[in-house]
Amino acid sequence: MTSDPADLTAADYLDSAREMTAADRPYLAHLLAEEAAQRTTSPATAAAIRATFPDPTTTRKD
């Protein structure tokens, strides 16, 4: 485990986003996934990440 956030990779952020989804923390999952998307070099991969973890404040169905 690293103590420097600059050492984290997109995969690290995606793993954490999945954990937050499993813990029913959708907004935190979205934030972590957004960081993962920003760290990828492929626009298609970034778009897929964003589609998988949409912003729950804009997609809520109450």
Side-chain angles (χ1 to χ4, degrees):
M1 182 72 183
T2 181
S3 61
D4 185 1
D7 292 338
L8 296 173
T9 66
D12 294 325
Y13 281 98
L14 276 177
D15 288 343
S16 296
R18 289 183 191 103
E19 289 177 17
M20 291 302 102
T21 297
D24 198 26
R25 303 289 306 264
Y27 190 69
L28 187 51
H30 165 71
L31 293 176
L32 290 162
E34 181 60 32
E35 184 63 31
Q38 291 177 9
R39 290 174 181 254
T40 62
T41 57
S42 166
T45 300
I49 291 169
R50 288 182 177 109
T52 303
F53 298 93
D55 183 348
T57 62
T58 60
T59 58
R60 288 180 76 177
K61 297 174 184 150
D62 290 329

Coordinates of all heavy atoms in Angstrom, one line a residue:
M1 N 0.8 -1.2 0.0 CA 0.0 0.0 0.0 C 0.9 1.2 0.0 O 1.9 1.3 0.7 CB -0.9 -0.1 1.2 CG -1.9 1.1 1.3 SD -3.1 0.9 0.0 CE -4.1 2.3 0.3
T2 N 0.5 2.2 -0.8 CA 1.3 3.4 -0.9 C 0.7 4.5 0.0 O -0.5 4.5 0.2 CB 1.4 3.9 -2.3 OG1 2.2 5.1 -2.4 CG2 0.0 4.2 -2.9
S3 N 1.5 5.4 0.5 CA 1.0 6.5 1.3 C 0.9 7.8 0.5 O 0.4 8.8 0.9 CB 1.9 6.7 2.5 OG 3.2 7.0 2.1
D4 N 1.4 7.7 -0.8 CA 1.4 8.9 -1.6 C 0.3 8.7 -2.7 O 0.5 7.9 -3.6 CB 2.8 9.1 -2.3 CG 2.9 10.4 -3.1 OD1 1.9 11.1 -3.2 OD2 4.0 10.6 -3.6
P5 N -0.7 9.5 -2.7 CA -1.8 9.4 -3.7 C -1.3 9.5 -5.1 O -1.9 9.0 -6.0 CB -2.8 10.5 -3.4 CG -2.5 10.9 -1.9 CD -1.0 10.6 -1.7
A6 N -0.2 10.2 -5.3 CA 0.4 10.4 -6.7 C 0.9 9.0 -7.2 O 1.0 8.9 -8.5 CB 1.5 11.4 -6.7
D7 N 1.1 8.1 -6.4 CA 1.6 6.7 -6.8 C 0.5 5.8 -7.2 O 0.7 4.7 -7.8 CB 2.4 6.1 -5.7 CG 3.7 6.8 -5.4 OD1 4.2 7.5 -6.3 OD2 4.3 6.6 -4.3
L8 N -0.8 6.2 -6.9 CA -1.9 5.3 -7.3 C -2.2 5.4 -8.8 O -2.0 6.4 -9.4 CB -3.2 5.8 -6.5 CG -3.1 5.7 -5.0 CD1 -4.3 6.3 -4.4 CD2 -3.0 4.3 -4.6
T9 N -2.6 4.2 -9.3 CA -2.9 4.1 -10.7 C -4.4 4.2 -10.9 O -5.2 4.1 -10.0 CB -2.4 2.8 -11.3 OG1 -3.1 1.7 -10.6 CG2 -0.9 2.6 -11.0
A10 N -4.8 4.2 -12.2 CA -6.2 4.2 -12.6 C -6.9 2.9 -12.0 O -8.0 2.9 -11.5 CB -6.4 4.3 -14.1
A11 N -6.1 1.8 -12.1 CA -6.7 0.5 -11.6 C -6.9 0.6 -10.1 O -7.9 0.0 -9.6 CB -5.7 -0.6 -12.0
D12 N -6.0 1.2 -9.4 CA -6.2 1.4 -7.9 C -7.5 2.1 -7.7 O -8.3 1.7 -6.8 CB -5.1 2.1 -7.3 CG -3.7 1.4 -7.4 OD1 -3.8 0.1 -7.3 OD2 -2.7 2.0 -7.5
Y13 N -7.7 3.2 -8.4 CA -9.0 4.0 -8.2 C -10.2 3.2 -8.6 O -11.2 3.3 -8.0 CB -8.9 5.3 -9.0 CG -8.1 6.3 -8.2 CD1 -6.7 6.6 -8.6 CD2 -8.6 7.1 -7.2 CE1 -6.0 7.5 -7.9 CE2 -7.8 8.0 -6.5 CZ -6.5 8.2 -6.9 OH -5.8 9.1 -6.2
L14 N -10.1 2.4 -9.7 CA -11.2 1.6 -10.1 C -11.6 0.5 -9.1 O -12.7 0.3 -8.8 CB -11.0 1.0 -11.5 CG -11.3 1.8 -12.7 CD1 -10.9 1.1 -13.9 CD2 -12.7 2.2 -12.7
D15 N -10.5 -0.1 -8.5 CA -10.8 -1.1 -7.5 C -11.5 -0.5 -6.3 O -12.5 -1.0 -5.7 CB -9.5 -1.7 -7.0 CG -8.8 -2.6 -8.0 OD1 -9.5 -3.1 -8.9 OD2 -7.6 -2.9 -7.9
S16 N -11.1 0.7 -5.9 CA -11.7 1.4 -4.8 C -13.1 1.8 -5.2 O -14.0 1.7 -4.3 CB -10.9 2.7 -4.4 OG -9.6 2.3 -3.9
A17 N -13.4 2.2 -6.4 CA -14.7 2.6 -6.8 C -15.6 1.4 -6.7 O -16.8 1.5 -6.3 CB -14.7 3.1 -8.2
R18 N -15.2 0.2 -7.1 CA -16.0 -1.0 -7.0 C -16.3 -1.4 -5.6 O -17.4 -1.8 -5.2 CB -15.2 -2.2 -7.7 CG -15.2 -2.1 -9.2 CD -14.5 -3.3 -9.9 NE -14.3 -3.0 -11.2 CZ -13.1 -2.7 -11.8 NH1 -12.0 -2.6 -11.0 NH2 -12.9 -2.5 -13.1
E19 N -15.3 -1.2 -4.7 CA -15.5 -1.4 -3.3 C -16.6 -0.5 -2.7 O -17.4 -0.9 -1.9 CB -14.2 -1.2 -2.5 CG -13.2 -2.3 -2.7 CD -11.9 -2.1 -2.0 OE1 -11.9 -1.2 -1.1 OE2 -10.9 -2.7 -2.4
M20 N -16.5 0.8 -3.1 CA -17.5 1.8 -2.7 C -18.9 1.4 -3.2 O -19.9 1.6 -2.5 CB -17.1 3.2 -3.0 CG -15.9 3.7 -2.3 SD -16.1 3.6 -0.5 CE -15.2 2.2 0.0
T21 N -19.0 0.9 -4.4 CA -20.3 0.5 -5.0 C -20.8 -0.6 -4.2 O -22.0 -0.7 -3.8 CB -20.1 0.1 -6.5 OG1 -19.7 1.2 -7.2 CG2 -21.4 -0.4 -7.0
A22 N -20.0 -1.6 -3.8 CA -20.4 -2.7 -3.0 C -20.9 -2.3 -1.6 O -21.7 -2.9 -1.0 CB -19.3 -3.8 -2.9
A23 N -20.3 -1.2 -1.1 CA -20.6 -0.7 0.2 C -21.8 0.3 0.1 O -22.1 0.9 1.1 CB -19.4 0.0 0.8
D24 N -22.4 0.4 -1.0 CA -23.6 1.3 -1.2 C -23.2 2.7 -1.0 O -23.9 3.5 -0.3 CB -24.8 0.9 -0.4 CG -26.0 1.5 -0.9 OD1 -26.1 1.8 -2.1 OD2 -27.0 1.7 0.0
R25 N -22.0 3.1 -1.5 CA -21.5 4.5 -1.5 C -21.4 5.0 -2.9 O -20.3 5.2 -3.4 CB -20.2 4.6 -0.7 CG -20.2 4.0 0.7 CD -20.9 4.8 1.7 NE -20.5 6.2 1.8 CZ -19.6 6.7 2.6 NH1 -19.0 5.9 3.5 NH2 -19.3 8.0 2.6
P26 N -22.5 5.3 -3.6 CA -22.4 5.6 -5.0 C -21.7 6.9 -5.4 O -21.0 7.0 -6.4 CB -23.8 5.6 -5.5 CG -24.6 5.9 -4.3 CD -23.8 5.2 -3.1
Y27 N -21.8 7.9 -4.5 CA -21.2 9.2 -4.8 C -19.7 9.0 -4.7 O -18.9 9.5 -5.5 CB -21.7 10.3 -4.0 CG -21.2 11.6 -4.5 CD1 -21.7 12.2 -5.7 CD2 -20.3 12.4 -3.7 CE1 -21.2 13.4 -6.1 CE2 -19.8 13.6 -4.2 CZ -20.3 14.1 -5.4 OH -19.8 15.3 -5.9
L28 N -19.2 8.4 -3.7 CA -17.8 8.2 -3.5 C -17.2 7.3 -4.6 O -16.1 7.5 -5.1 CB -17.5 7.5 -2.1 CG -16.0 7.4 -1.7 CD1 -15.3 8.7 -1.9 CD2 -15.9 6.9 -0.3
A29 N -18.0 6.3 -5.0 CA -17.6 5.4 -6.1 C -17.5 6.3 -7.4 O -16.5 6.1 -8.2 CB -18.6 4.3 -6.4
H30 N -18.4 7.2 -7.6 CA -18.3 8.1 -8.8 C -17.1 8.9 -8.7 O -16.4 9.1 -9.8 CB -19.6 9.0 -8.8 CG -19.5 10.1 -9.7 ND1 -19.5 10.0 -11.1 CD2 -19.3 11.4 -9.5 CE1 -19.3 11.2 -11.6 NE2 -19.2 12.1 -10.7
L31 N -16.8 9.5 -7.6 CA -15.6 10.4 -7.5 C -14.3 9.6 -7.7 O -13.4 10.1 -8.4 CB -15.5 11.0 -6.1 CG -16.6 12.0 -5.8 CD1 -16.5 12.5 -4.3 CD2 -16.6 13.2 -6.8
L32 N -14.2 8.4 -7.2 CA -13.0 7.6 -7.4 C -12.9 7.1 -8.9 O -11.8 7.2 -9.5 CB -13.1 6.3 -6.5 CG -12.9 6.6 -5.0 CD1 -13.4 5.4 -4.2 CD2 -11.4 6.9 -4.8
A33 N -14.0 6.8 -9.5 CA -14.0 6.4 -10.9 C -13.7 7.6 -11.8 O -13.0 7.5 -12.8 CB -15.4 5.9 -11.3
E34 N -14.1 8.8 -11.4 CA -13.7 10.0 -12.2 C -12.2 10.2 -12.2 O -11.6 10.6 -13.2 CB -14.5 11.2 -11.6 CG -14.2 12.5 -12.4 CD -14.5 12.4 -13.9 OE1 -15.5 11.8 -14.2 OE2 -13.8 13.1 -14.7
E35 N -11.6 10.0 -11.0 CA -10.2 10.1 -10.9 C -9.5 9.1 -11.8 O -8.5 9.3 -12.5 CB -9.7 10.0 -9.5 CG -8.2 10.2 -9.3 CD -7.8 11.6 -9.6 OE1 -8.5 12.5 -9.5 OE2 -6.6 11.7 -10.0
A36 N -10.1 7.8 -11.8 CA -9.5 6.8 -12.7 C -9.6 7.2 -14.1 O -8.7 7.0 -14.9 CB -10.2 5.5 -12.4
A37 N -10.8 7.7 -14.5 CA -11.0 8.2 -15.9 C -9.9 9.3 -16.3 O -9.4 9.2 -17.4 CB -12.4 8.7 -16.1
Q38 N -9.7 10.2 -15.4 CA -8.7 11.2 -15.7 C -7.3 10.7 -15.8 O -6.5 11.3 -16.5 CB -8.8 12.3 -14.6 CG -10.1 13.1 -14.6 CD -10.1 14.1 -13.5 OE1 -9.2 14.4 -12.8 NE2 -11.3 14.7 -13.4
R39 N -7.0 9.6 -15.2 CA -5.7 9.0 -15.2 C -5.4 8.1 -16.4 O -4.4 7.5 -16.6 CB -5.4 8.3 -13.9 CG -5.2 9.2 -12.8 CD -5.0 8.5 -11.5 NE -4.9 9.4 -10.4 CZ -3.7 9.7 -9.7 NH1 -2.7 9.0 -10.1 NH2 -3.7 10.5 -8.8
T40 N -6.5 7.8 -17.2 CA -6.3 6.9 -18.4 C -5.9 7.8 -19.6 O -6.2 8.9 -19.7 CB -7.6 6.2 -18.7 OG1 -8.6 7.1 -19.0 CG2 -8.0 5.3 -17.5
T41 N -5.2 7.1 -20.5 CA -4.8 7.8 -21.7 C -5.8 7.6 -22.9 O -5.8 8.4 -23.8 CB -3.4 7.4 -22.1 OG1 -3.5 5.9 -22.3 CG2 -2.4 7.7 -21.1
S42 N -6.7 6.7 -22.7 CA -7.6 6.4 -23.8 C -8.9 7.1 -23.6 O -9.6 6.8 -22.5 CB -7.8 4.9 -23.9 OG -8.9 4.6 -24.7
P43 N -9.4 7.9 -24.5 CA -10.7 8.5 -24.3 C -11.8 7.5 -24.3 O -12.8 7.7 -23.5 CB -10.8 9.5 -25.5 CG -9.4 9.7 -26.0 CD -8.7 8.5 -25.6
A44 N -11.7 6.5 -25.0 CA -12.8 5.4 -25.0 C -12.8 4.7 -23.6 O -13.9 4.5 -23.1 CB -12.5 4.4 -26.1
T45 N -11.7 4.5 -23.1 CA -11.7 3.8 -21.7 C -12.2 4.8 -20.7 O -13.0 4.4 -19.8 CB -10.2 3.4 -21.4 OG1 -9.8 2.5 -22.3 CG2 -10.2 2.8 -20.0
A46 N -11.9 6.0 -20.8 CA -12.4 7.0 -19.8 C -13.9 7.1 -19.9 O -14.6 7.2 -18.9 CB -11.7 8.4 -20.1
A47 N -14.4 7.1 -21.2 CA -15.9 7.2 -21.4 C -16.6 6.0 -20.8 O -17.6 6.1 -20.2 CB -16.2 7.4 -22.8
A48 N -15.9 4.8 -20.9 CA -16.5 3.6 -20.4 C -16.6 3.6 -18.9 O -17.5 3.2 -18.3 CB -15.7 2.4 -20.9
I49 N -15.5 4.1 -18.3 CA -15.5 4.2 -16.8 C -16.6 5.2 -16.3 O -17.3 4.9 -15.4 CB -14.1 4.7 -16.4 CG1 -13.0 3.7 -16.6 CG2 -14.1 5.1 -14.9 CD1 -11.6 4.1 -16.4
R50 N -16.7 6.3 -17.0 CA -17.7 7.3 -16.6 C -19.1 6.7 -16.8 O -20.0 7.0 -16.0 CB -17.5 8.6 -17.4 CG -16.3 9.3 -16.9 CD -16.2 10.7 -17.7 NE -15.0 11.4 -17.2 CZ -13.9 11.6 -17.8 NH1 -13.8 11.1 -19.1 NH2 -12.9 12.2 -17.3
A51 N -19.3 5.9 -17.8 CA -20.6 5.3 -18.0 C -20.9 4.2 -17.0 O -22.1 4.1 -16.6 CB -20.7 4.7 -19.4
T52 N -19.9 3.6 -16.5 CA -20.1 2.5 -15.5 C -20.4 3.1 -14.1 O -21.2 2.5 -13.3 CB -18.8 1.7 -15.4 OG1 -18.6 1.1 -16.7 CG2 -19.0 0.5 -14.4
F53 N -19.9 4.3 -13.8 CA -20.0 4.9 -12.5 C -20.6 6.3 -12.7 O -19.9 7.3 -12.5 CB -18.7 5.0 -11.8 CG -18.1 3.7 -11.5 CD1 -17.2 3.1 -12.3 CD2 -18.4 3.0 -10.3 CE1 -16.6 1.9 -12.1 CE2 -17.9 1.8 -10.0 CZ -17.0 1.2 -10.9
P54 N -21.9 6.5 -13.1 CA -22.4 7.8 -13.4 C -22.6 8.6 -12.1 O -22.7 8.0 -11.0 CB -23.8 7.5 -14.0 CG -24.1 6.2 -13.5 CD -22.8 5.4 -13.3
D55 N -22.7 9.9 -12.2 CA -22.9 10.8 -11.1 C -24.3 10.5 -10.5 O -25.3 10.7 -11.1 CB -22.9 12.2 -11.5 CG -23.0 13.2 -10.4 OD1 -23.4 12.8 -9.3 OD2 -22.7 14.4 -10.6
P56 N -24.4 10.0 -9.3 CA -25.7 9.6 -8.7 C -26.6 10.8 -8.4 O -27.8 10.7 -8.3 CB -25.3 8.9 -7.4 CG -24.0 9.4 -7.0 CD -23.3 9.7 -8.3
T57 N -26.0 12.0 -8.4 CA -26.9 13.2 -8.1 C -27.6 13.6 -9.4 O -28.6 14.3 -9.3 CB -26.0 14.4 -7.6 OG1 -25.1 14.8 -8.6 CG2 -25.3 14.1 -6.3
T58 N -27.2 13.1 -10.5 CA -27.9 13.4 -11.8 C -28.7 12.3 -12.3 O -29.5 12.4 -13.3 CB -26.9 13.9 -12.9 OG1 -26.0 12.9 -13.1 CG2 -26.2 15.2 -12.5
T59 N -28.6 11.1 -11.7 CA -29.2 9.9 -12.2 C -30.2 9.3 -11.1 O -30.7 8.2 -11.3 CB -28.2 8.8 -12.6 OG1 -27.4 8.5 -11.4 CG2 -27.3 9.3 -13.7
R60 N -30.5 10.0 -10.1 CA -31.3 9.5 -9.0 C -32.8 9.4 -9.5 O -33.3 10.2 -10.3 CB -31.4 10.4 -7.8 CG -30.0 10.4 -7.0 CD -30.1 11.3 -5.9 NE -30.9 10.7 -4.8 CZ -31.1 11.2 -3.7 NH1 -30.6 12.4 -3.4 NH2 -31.8 10.6 -2.8
K61 N -33.4 8.3 -9.0 CA -34.8 8.0 -9.4 C -35.6 7.9 -8.1 O -35.7 6.8 -7.6 CB -34.9 6.8 -10.3 CG -34.2 7.0 -11.6 CD -34.2 5.7 -12.4 CE -33.4 5.9 -13.6 NZ -32.7 4.7 -14.1
D62 N -36.1 9.0 -7.6 CA -36.9 8.9 -6.4 C -38.4 8.8 -6.6 O -38.9 9.3 -7.5 CB -36.6 10.2 -5.5 CG -35.2 10.2 -5.0 OD1 -34.7 9.1 -4.7 OD2 -34.7 11.3 -4.8

